[in-house]
Amino acid sequence: MKTVHTPCELVAELSHLRYECVDDAPRERLVGFVPTMGALHQGHMSLIHRMVAECDVGVVSIFVNPTQFGPGEDFERYPRTLEADLKLCEEAGVDLVYAPTVDQVYPEPFLTSVHVSGLTEDLEGAHRPGHFDGVCLVVAKLFALIRPHRAYFGEKDYQQLLIVRQLARNLDLGVEVVACPLIRDDDGLAASSRNRYLSPEERERALCLFRALTRAKELYEQGERSVERLEEAGRRVIRETPGVELDYFVVRRAGDLKPFPEGKVEGEGRVLGAIRVGETRLIDNMPLREPTIDTGTGG
Ligand code: AMP
């Protein structure tokens, strides 16, 4: 595995990795990419393992991107564990890690922005103004440099996944955005680099988000289709937990995160929530899907 820190080193390394020689003819290899902010955990590793299994060349970026943090957010204290991250990447069979500095990603003068409208205004976009512009900017830059065939994103950041997919389509970036399932720790908490901030008591309280999502999902599975009743049942679980602030807890259409027009879940839904526990902000979500009926005919 190679680790590079500048755009020029990245492109030089990739030019070697991108082509192989088969029967004296050059053939392009399938390039996969997982963008991360580091402090790697089992959620990230599930994306990385899948990329390594499915692609010929596996690239990971590790960059705490300042443009996606708002004023007063945790950019400075965000965990940075590069040595441990590189070891995990190496063990997973990654070919190339790109770990640039802020100056390399945003050289002065930096005058360009990237904005996806519609999908970005609600939920995380409403609570973190400018956040998705920062995400889109860094992802567009990374896609432009790496030119992956496939990029793997986690459903943990479900809204981000839909936005990045739209960005890739609208800018004709030629990358397939692959959705990977959300990974949880044994107690149910969604794996996150920010879980490192939680004291044991805070972690216990943070679990109310998982319980609230589970409650809404259970009611849905028992046949409840009223968005209001599903949301209220989940919000109650969170309100009953002391020391937790609710940012939002909503049931939306899975495809575009818009509200269901009649207030009834029809087709695939997604229940999404965000809470604050002390200084830490956490997000999580679950799918609401009709059970698939196994007709037993096999195939
Ligand atoms: P981050 O380092 O937080 O920017 O995350 C990098 C990628 O890992 C994003 O595509 C995330 O959605 C994904 N990811 C983070 N946590 C999880 C998780 N618990 N399960 C699945 N994917 C995750």
Side-chain angles (χ1 to χ4, degrees), residues 34-44 46-47 63 68 78 152-158 160 180-184 189-194:
V34 175
T36 81
M37 297 206 299
L40 300 183
H41 51 68
Q42 54 164 341
H44 297 115
S46 71
L47 275 54
F63 178 59
Q68 71 189 72
Y78 197 85
Y152 295 80
F153 283 79
E155 290 187 342
K156 159 78 172 26
D157 301 275
Y158 190 79
Q160 167 177 284
C180 302
L182 188 154
I183 303 297
R184 299 181 180 283
L189 195 68
S192 165
S193 305
R194 289 191 169 95

Side-chain angles (χ1 to χ4, degrees), residues 54-278:
E54 293 181 357
C55 301
D56 302 319
V57 179
V59 184
V60 171
S61 65
I62 298 176
F63 178 59
V64 185
N65 173 35
T67 63
Q68 71 189 72
F69 289 77
E73 289 189 357
D74 56 344
F75 173 68
E76 277 84 17
R77 73 172 183 135
Y78 197 85
R80 289 159 170 90
T81 59
L82 186 62
E83 284 311 307
D85 293 349
L86 293 178
K87 191 158 176 282
L88 287 170
C89 287
E90 172 117 54
E91 284 164 6
V94 170
D95 296 290
L96 184 58
V97 174
Y98 179 45
T101 64
V102 172
D103 292 344
Q104 272 136 10
V105 178
Y106 299 112
E108 292 291 344
F110 200 90
L111 307 173
T112 302
S113 54
V114 179
H115 179 71
V116 172
S117 60
L119 282 168
T120 54
E121 279 134 33
D122 213 357
L123 308 175
E124 285 305 285
H127 286 267
R128 303 184 68 188
H131 167 66
F132 287 124
D133 287 355
V135 170
C136 289
L137 181 59
V138 79
V139 169
K141 284 175 64 76
L142 290 165
F143 282 0
L145 273 177
I146 295 166
R147 292 188 292 116
H149 298 98
R150 289 191 192 161
Y152 295 80
F153 283 79
E155 290 187 342
K156 159 78 172 26
D157 301 275
Y158 190 79
Q159 189 176 9
Q160 167 177 284
L161 164 70
L162 298 188
I163 291 165
V164 168
R165 191 171 270 161
Q166 190 71 38
L167 169 85
R169 271 196 204 132
N170 287 166
L171 296 184
D172 304 316
L173 299 180
V175 48
E176 181 192 351
V177 173
V178 180
C180 302
L182 188 154
I183 303 297
R184 299 181 180 283
D185 291 344
D186 289 343
D187 58 5
L189 195 68
S192 165
S193 305
R194 289 191 169 95
N195 293 350
R196 293 172 193 236
Y197 300 149
L198 299 170
S199 68
E201 298 75 33
E202 286 177 330
R203 187 178 172 107
E204 193 52 43
R205 278 185 257 149
L207 281 171
C208 72
L209 181 53
F210 170 65
R211 284 202 305 274
L213 293 164
T214 306
R215 179 78 194 119
K217 192 178 165 74
E218 279 168 6
L219 285 177
Y220 171 84
E221 282 166 359
Q222 288 160 20
E224 181 62 79
R225 292 293 180 270
S226 156
V227 168
E228 201 182 320
R229 282 197 285 271
L230 292 168
E231 290 179 348
E232 194 39 42
R235 285 176 195 153
R236 196 175 314 127
V237 175
I238 294 168
R239 278 200 301 264
E240 281 166 2
T241 311
V244 173
E245 302 242 20
L246 175 64
D247 271 359
Y248 59 82
F249 187 90
V250 294
V251 171
R252 293 293 175 86
R253 300 199 302 211
D256 59 7
L257 292 180
K258 296 270 181 287
F260 285 99
E262 309 293 326
K264 294 256 175 295
V265 183
E266 275 183 34
E268 195 175 332
R270 201 93 192 173
V271 54
L272 309 104
I275 57 169
R276 278 168 292 136
V277 186

